[in-house]
Amino acid sequence: MSDAKKTRTTVEIHNRKYTIVGEESPHRIQMVASMVDQKMKEIQEANPKLDTAQLAVLTAVNATNDYIKIKEEYNHLIEKLKREEQDKNG
């Protein structure tokens, strides 16, 4: 990453401020941070005795699980489109 393209965005997750440095737009970084914060709130409501580290790990596990499900669905759709294209072209 070149320094010229990096932006600094301050976000709040689980009542703590973080400065995120990267190439994504500040809007996108805020959106991602908001989603992480929301997921942490949901998990904490269901498990109020979790400490911050446990909460962070469970949030990461949940987010990764969601990512894997979406990736599998995407791959399934790509394969389906390929089969349909092959059937169409003989």
Side-chain angles (χ1 to χ4, degrees), residues 2 4 13 15 27 33 35 37 41 43 48 55 60 66 68 71:
S2 69
I13 301 172
N15 301 316
H27 174 75
M35 292 175 74
D37 187 56
K41 285 177 184 172
I43 293 170
L55 185 58
D66 291 347
I68 290 169
K71 189 173 181 181

Side-chain angles (χ1 to χ4, degrees), residues 14 40 43-44 47-58:
H14 198 60
M40 288 182 84
I43 293 170
Q44 188 172 44
N47 305 282
K49 293 185 180 185
L50 294 176
D51 64 31
T52 302
Q54 292 170 319
L55 185 58
V57 169
L58 286 177

Side-chain angles (χ1 to χ4, degrees), residues 72-90:
E72 289 171 347
E73 290 173 11
Y74 170 80
N75 288 335
H76 175 74
L77 289 172
I78 292 297
E79 287 302 315
K80 183 178 177 183
L81 287 172
K82 285 180 183 177
R83 283 192 305 273
E84 289 175 358
E85 188 66 28
Q86 288 173 348
D87 291 346
K88 185 175 151 184
N89 292 329

